[in-house]
Amino acid sequence: MEQSMEHYAERVRSLAPTEEPERQYYFIDVMKSVLAEKENRIGRKLTMNVVTFGCQMNAKDSETLSGILSAIGYEETDNEEADLVLYNTCTVRENANTRVYGRIGYLGNLKKKNPEKRIILCGCMMQEPQAVEKIRKSYRFVDVIFGTHNIFKLAELLFEREVQGALVIDVWDKATGIVEDLPRRNKYGFKAGINIMYGCNNFCSYCIVPYVRGRERSRSAADIVAEARHLADNGVREVMLLGQNVNSYGKNMTDGVSFAQLLHMVSEVEGIRRIRFMTPHPKDLSDELIDEIAVNPKVCKHVHLPLQSGSSRVLRAMNRHYTKERYLELVDKIKERIPGVAVTTDIIVGFPGETEEDFLETIDVVRKAGFMAAYTFLYSKRTGTPAASMEGQVSDEVAGERFKRLLSNVGEVSAREAERFSGRTLEVLCEEYKPGEGLMTGRLDNNLLVHFPAEEALWGELVTVRLEECKGFYYLGTLCSTVV
Ligand code: 5AD
Ligand code: SF4
């Protein structure tokens, strides 16, 4: 580093507050001036593009990351020619990683034409030392790498990149505390995610999440309710409470609020009309929670309950802590106590040692449980997880063939489930408008989608729609009335 730059960097660092989030607001201000100076020099506004891979947790983190970049002064665009491209990566399955490598190569080519371009990589994949090593060796044009535990530091890391003029890597192996009150940029306006907890303690034997997202930590109920209130004041009507295993909410806290009680507290926030949550674990879904969903009109009648396998033997090898029978009993109880509920699931095909008989047990559960939708995945071997070294890895051909059979069963069952609502008039939230076709897409309480002719002005509103024609996993409908 040149001497004057070294002095400047040292002075900026020495004046930085030590507390969070104050420290990050300070670096946001510093980066604001750095950006303004650059914009003056090149004579145009600088742009950013945040690309999210993976789950709702990442989508939520990306709102914070975009919020920080907007506060610095970057203008948001939707393409990767932007002056700053940030990839928030996923590593839950191998193909997620392969896709990211391909796309980083493409970003490198774009950077040759725009030397001011900054390439930032963060998220789950960056928690894996092999991935960081590969990027450091083979993709030398990357500017900043950080992981899942320090996303709040984005502004400070961008500052370090500017003053050091070289790749900055800052990956933590565990979280310190939870940093509250960072800027956020809400993608939709009328709906938003709220993290209620981070990490996972379950160690399902196939899953990398506990290694890359760390141990369970819950946010305080007061902070969660305050966030819901703030969102409602800004026009949000639907919130989704997010955690890897929401049933564990509050376990490491002293205020003794259970997840069911938290749902209730959030439902008391004025302006919040709908509450969703992701993801409960079948092993410890409580009666208290089922009852809260049943009686609370604001809680959506949709339970996403990952099955993973229908074979009790495979479930044991997966370390899931329930059997086929217990899972089916639980689904029966949910359907009995919550009329009209939709149960959806995740299923993995080709787990090590899965036999044809095991697979048929999975199909049996699909048929008996009557899922409204199922997300199906081919087992992907994740280095470092117990399943990676298990005997009897299933060949691609066998897994692929089972996967097709599973899909056709799921398609049939979910179409039958969806069909049950035909002819009814139900409340939907208008989520997307296609101007060319004059069609609005709304989401029912039970998560089904319905397309219907409507004005764009209804976007973000709750309306009632008559479900005319079931097209498998969505409906065509007609607008009945707007809801006040
Ligand atoms: N291979 C395939 N699918 C996986 N999932 C998690 N880990 C793996 C893996 N190694 C699936 C599970 C989980 C969903 C988010 O991703 O079904 O519920
Ligand atoms: Fe992974 Fe299991 Fe935790 Fe879900 S509950 S994140 S599948 S370890």
Side-chain angles (χ1 to χ4, degrees):
M1 215 186 294
E2 254 175 72
Q3 226 180 5
S4 59
M5 181 63 94
E6 177 84 54
H7 274 137
Y8 162 73
E10 266 317 310
R11 203 183 66 242
V12 170
R13 289 186 198 114
S14 69
L15 292 173
T18 48
E19 293 292 307
E20 297 292 4
E22 293 75 14
R23 184 177 175 88
Q24 295 315 312
Y25 280 98
Y26 167 86
F27 278 108
I28 286 172
D29 272 345
V30 172
M31 280 307 295
K32 240 187 208 166
S33 333
V34 171
L35 202 75
E37 188 272 319
K38 262 195 201 189
E39 289 182 342
N40 266 339
R41 185 156 40 82
I42 59 178
R44 64 177 176 83
K45 290 292 292 174
L46 289 172
T47 56
M48 55 106 163
N49 180 219
V50 172
V51 182
T52 310
F53 299 82
C55 68
Q56 311 261 5
M57 305 278 170
N58 267 15
K60 175 73 219 315
D61 285 348
S62 288
E63 288 187 358
T64 303
L65 294 161
S66 306
I68 294 172
L69 292 172
S70 302
I72 289 173
Y74 282 101
E75 274 185 8
E76 191 160 15
T77 62
D78 59 2
N79 71 70
E80 290 164 47
E81 309 228 330
D83 300 293
L84 182 150
V85 177
L86 181 148
Y87 279 180
N88 189 4
T89 62
C90 170
T91 188
V92 80
R93 286 170 290 274
E94 181 67 35
N95 57 3
N97 294 36
T98 320
R99 271 175 64 206
V100 165
Y101 287 127
R103 287 178 64 167
I104 305 173
Y106 168 70
L107 290 184
N109 288 336
L110 292 177
K111 191 170 181 176
K112 284 183 198 142
K113 287 183 246 152
N114 177 5
E116 282 303 332
K117 192 177 184 78
R118 297 288 177 262
I119 300 172
I120 321 294
L121 305 177
C122 67
C124 295
M125 190 174 149
M126 300 305 129
Q127 290 295 137
E128 295 184 281
Q130 319 84 286
V132 173
E133 210 32 55
K134 176 162 171 168
I135 291 160
R136 208 216 295 253
K137 280 211 190 98
S138 313
Y139 303 90
R140 302 181 63 90
F141 48 82
V142 169
D143 296 288
V144 180
I145 295 179
F146 56 100
T148 56
H149 299 306
N150 55 347
I151 64 158
F152 67 90
K153 268 186 80 176
L154 175 60
E156 182 171 351
L157 296 174
L158 287 177
F159 168 77
E160 288 301 333
R161 161 63 188 82
E162 294 310 311
V163 294
Q164 293 177 27
L167 169 65
V168 173
I169 301 182
D170 190 14
V171 180
W172 300 0
D173 32 323
K174 47 177 183 304
T176 45
I178 295 171
V179 179
E180 296 286 350
D181 299 325
L182 290 164
R184 72 181 282 175
R185 200 174 161 82
N186 182 2
K187 210 169 151 198
Y188 293 96
F190 56 85
K191 67 171 187 176
I194 301 182
N195 280 124
I196 63 163
M197 56 188 303
Y198 302 90
C200 182
N201 287 359
N202 289 322
F203 290 94
C204 301
S205 62
Y206 51 82
C207 187
I208 192 109
V209 168
Y211 306 89
V212 296
R213 289 248 166 203
R215 295 295 68 71
E216 283 171 0
R217 281 120 31 227
S218 298
R219 286 175 72 199
S220 79
D223 282 336
I224 295 166
V225 171
E227 183 171 344
R229 198 169 293 128
H230 175 75
L231 288 167
D233 289 346
N234 286 286
V236 168
R237 278 143 202 238
E238 178 181 303
V239 291
M240 160 101 70
L241 306 184
L242 296 167
Q244 303 291 354
N245 174 13
V246 294
N247 312 342
S248 303
Y249 174 76
K251 284 203 175 139
N252 57 351
M253 307 286 284
T254 48
D255 57 10
V257 175
S258 69
F259 179 60
Q261 287 165 332
L262 180 72
L263 269 183
H264 194 81
M265 290 164 75
V266 173
S267 76
E268 284 177 333
V269 173
E270 208 178 313
I272 297 293
R273 304 286 296 272
R274 277 183 167 186
I275 307 170
R276 299 185 181 279
F277 60 93
M278 281 263 206
T279 309
H281 192 304
K283 77 177 158 69
D284 49 13
L285 190 125
S286 68
D287 286 358
E288 186 201 10
L289 176 57
I290 298 177
D291 290 340
E292 185 62 31
I293 305 168
V295 301
N296 191 326
K298 287 192 182 176
V299 179
C300 288
K301 309 302 176 233
H302 171 211
V303 181
H304 183 69
L305 197 64
L307 166 68
Q308 314 301 5
S309 168
S311 152
S312 298
R313 200 184 62 79
V314 171
L315 286 169
R316 196 166 341 110
M318 286 178 162
N319 195 31
R320 292 289 290 175
H321 299 280
Y322 55 88
T323 59
K324 173 186 180 184
E325 291 70 30
R326 259 209 50 210
Y327 184 90
L328 283 171
E329 276 163 30
L330 185 59
V331 171
D332 280 349
K333 182 155 67 172
I334 292 171
K335 290 195 165 180
E336 198 183 289
R337 295 207 202 163
I338 314 170
V341 71
V343 179
T344 59
T345 201
D346 291 344
I347 299 172
I348 298 176
V349 175
F351 183 81
E354 182 189 76
T355 62
E356 176 64 16
E357 288 69 41
D358 293 320
F359 175 68
L360 292 175
E361 302 267 22
T362 301
I363 300 277
D364 189 42
V365 176
V366 167
R367 305 201 75 89
K368 288 189 173 136
F371 296 121
M372 182 81 93
Y375 301 91
T376 49
F377 306 103
L378 278 169
Y379 167 72
S380 168
K381 185 171 172 175
R382 308 310 292 123
T383 310
T385 61
S389 50
M390 283 181 188
E391 307 265 298
Q393 302 280 331
V394 176
S395 73
D396 291 353
E397 293 72 39
V398 171
E401 187 277 327
R402 286 181 191 160
F403 189 78
K404 278 199 209 130
R405 259 190 293 158
L406 177 64
L407 272 191
S408 84
N409 276 277
V410 164
E412 199 186 304
V413 169
S414 54
R416 196 175 66 212
E417 284 295 306
E419 177 64 40
R420 290 194 295 137
F421 298 89
S422 239
R424 292 185 57 187
T425 299
L426 295 168
E427 197 173 291
V428 309
L429 180 63
C430 298
E431 296 200 346
E432 217 179 301
Y433 183 69
K434 293 208 183 74
E437 300 156 54
L439 276 184
M440 184 70 80
T441 302
R443 194 179 294 272
L444 288 147
D445 170 280
N446 64 19
N447 216 36
L448 273 176
L449 295 179
V450 51
H451 306 294
F452 55 98
E455 302 282 313
E456 183 168 13
L458 288 180
W459 185 74
E461 299 291 333
L462 281 158
V463 300
T464 57
V465 171
R466 188 178 142 83
L467 305 177
E468 311 282 2
E469 192 184 340
C470 184
K471 294 276 189 189
F473 53 92
Y474 68 91
Y475 269 93
L476 297 180
T478 46
L479 178 66
C480 290
S481 65
T482 47
V483 177
V484 278

